[in-house]
């Protein structure tokens, strides 16, 4: 059941591009602040529904809280900065190294090679999808953007790894959301101009993002990381850009491409390789 929560989180992240189109006119950090504040409110909605104390303190320690904040806020901050200094295609490809890294991090020693090979196969599919089969070029002038994108991959895979080891309550994601919302507000004040009027579409988009890919998904991911199949979740995370593309096609915002099916084949093959269980070699008694 916990693994299913992780799959749901991946599906919600797949909806990010579609829902993001509803709010694309809003400043990035202002939008991040509002989405994470909605995520924080989910904590109180949950406690009201389950009749729990509303102001129960978080169970994360100081070091764990810092790791959580760095993971959640650091990822989004680096992503926005990466897009500022490098093209979207290259940034997206580098960021999607995180499932490969996570797969290697959580794999057992006897399955490390499988995790690396499977992750690389899946990543080839993502390269094909994002570049639409046209390839891409690395340009030294975008080095800073590439560095921020690589930081995204490292931050999110590391955050996911550490959360598997923390024995905290899922409600702590709500408190982390509050801290991230405050940091996003400060970043907005420093980097951006405030938009004060929202259309009905933008307002709906903000709440849907906060309930889903930029909020609710983090609660589901936390549950899945602690009790679900981590290797399988890392492999299936490569489906996120595929799901985004399919939803955009269904919404008639982009055209269908055969690259979708080719990428899906690579991702599924990569997942199968990553999750193949290598049996430990048995010691022959005759040699004892």
């Amino acid at each position: 059941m916990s693994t299913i929560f992780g799959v749901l989180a991946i599906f919600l992240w797949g909806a990010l591009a579609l829902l993001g189109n509803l709010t694309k006119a809003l400043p990035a950090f202002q939008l991040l602040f509002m989405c994470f504040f909605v995520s924080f409110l989910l904590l109180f909605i949950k406690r009201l529904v389950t009749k729990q104390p509303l102001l129960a303190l978080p169970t994360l320690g100081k070091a764990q809280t810092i790791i959580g904040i760095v993971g959640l806020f650091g990822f989004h901050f680096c992503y926005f900065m990466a897009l500022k200094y490098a093209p979207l295609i290259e940034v997206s490809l580098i960021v999607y190294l995180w499932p490969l890294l996570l797969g290697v991090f959580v794999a057992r020693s006897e399955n490390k090679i499988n995790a690396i090979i499977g992750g690389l196969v899946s990543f080839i599919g993502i390269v094909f999808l994002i570049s639409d089969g046209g390839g891409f070029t690395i340009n030294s002038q975008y080095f800073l953007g590439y560095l921020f994108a690589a930081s995204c991959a490292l931050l999110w895979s590391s955050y996911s790894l550490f959360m598997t080891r923390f024995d905290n309550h899922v409600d702590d994601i709500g408190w982390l959301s509050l801290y991230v919302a405050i940091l996003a507000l400060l970043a907005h004040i420093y980097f951006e101009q405030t938009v004060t009027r929202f259309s009905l579409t933008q307002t709906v988009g903000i709440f849907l993002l906060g309930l889903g890919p930029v909020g609710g998904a983090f609660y589901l991911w936390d549950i899945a990381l602690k009790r679900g199949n981590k290797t399988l979740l890392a492999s299936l995370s490569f489906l996120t850009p595929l799901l985004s593309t399919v939803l955009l096609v269904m919404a008639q915002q982009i055209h269908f491409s055969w690259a979708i099916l080719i990428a899906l084949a690579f991702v599924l093959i990569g997942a199968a390789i990553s999750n193949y269980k290598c049996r430990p070699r048995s010691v022959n008694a005759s040699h004892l």
Side-chain angles (χ1 to χ4, degrees):
M1 185 63 185
S2 297
T3 302
I4 294 176
F5 285 145
V7 174
L8 288 174
I10 292 168
F11 269 89
L12 288 175
W13 287 328
L16 179 59
L18 182 62
L19 294 178
N21 282 337
L22 302 177
T23 56
K24 60 185 178 182
L26 299 179
F29 285 113
Q30 182 179 359
L31 176 62
L32 192 65
F33 156 67
M34 292 184 289
C35 290
F36 270 100
F37 191 76
V38 172
S39 177
F40 170 61
L41 293 179
L42 287 177
L43 167 63
F44 292 98
I45 294 173
K46 173 184 175 294
R47 289 183 173 179
L48 280 172
V49 171
T50 57
K51 297 181 180 179
Q52 294 177 316
L54 292 181
L55 298 177
L57 296 176
T59 59
L60 283 171
K62 290 182 179 179
Q64 295 171 335
T65 301
I66 292 172
I67 290 173
I69 293 172
V70 170
L72 286 172
F73 179 74
F75 172 84
H76 291 91
F77 179 86
C78 289
Y79 182 70
F80 295 149
M81 291 297 104
L83 292 178
K84 184 177 180 180
Y85 295 108
L88 175 62
I89 290 179
E90 287 93 319
V91 168
S92 298
L93 288 174
I94 296 172
V95 168
Y96 272 103
L97 285 170
W98 77 260
L100 191 160
L101 293 175
L102 179 59
V104 174
F105 289 162
V106 300
R108 297 187 178 186
S109 56
E110 64 268 21
N111 284 87
K112 290 286 185 185
I113 298 299
N114 285 30
I116 294 171
I117 295 174
L120 288 173
V121 170
S122 294
F123 184 69
I124 290 172
I126 299 308
V127 171
F128 201 89
L129 174 72
I130 294 178
S131 65
D132 200 18
F136 66 99
T137 57
I138 297 295
N139 193 320
S140 59
Q141 76 180 85
Y142 302 131
F143 173 77
L144 185 57
Y146 298 156
L147 184 61
F148 275 117
S151 298
C152 286
L154 184 60
L155 281 169
W156 191 249
S157 57
S158 299
Y159 165 84
S160 297
L161 173 65
F162 281 119
M163 294 308 285
T164 66
R165 300 175 177 177
F166 294 163
D167 189 25
N168 64 290
H169 196 279
V170 67
D171 286 6
D172 290 338
I173 300 299
W175 293 108
L176 289 177
S177 296
L178 175 62
Y179 307 147
V180 172
I182 294 171
L183 289 174
L185 178 60
L186 294 176
H188 163 64
I189 294 171
Y190 184 80
F191 290 109
E192 302 167 336
Q193 290 186 335
T194 302
V195 172
T196 56
R197 293 184 179 180
F198 309 121
S199 66
L200 178 60
T201 299
Q202 289 173 331
T203 302
V204 171
I206 291 167
F207 278 98
L208 289 179
L209 285 169
L211 293 173
V214 193
F218 300 127
Y219 291 86
L220 297 173
W221 191 241
D222 186 68
I223 296 172
L225 289 174
K226 288 177 171 55
R227 296 188 288 272
N229 186 328
K230 303 169 189 59
T231 300
L232 180 60
L233 289 171
S235 302
L236 294 181
S237 295
F238 280 111
L239 289 173
T240 303
L242 273 167
L243 292 169
S244 294
T245 305
V246 170
L247 288 174
L248 290 172
V249 170
M250 292 175 64
Q252 298 183 336
Q253 295 190 14
I254 62 174
H255 296 292
F256 173 80
S257 169
W258 286 105
I260 298 173
L261 297 181
I262 295 173
L264 177 61
F266 272 95
V267 169
L268 293 179
I269 292 171
I273 295 172
S274 296
N275 289 274
Y276 177 77
K277 300 295 183 182
C278 294
R279 295 180 181 178
R281 293 181 180 179
S282 59
V283 179
N284 193 327
S286 65
H287 293 293
L288 294 179

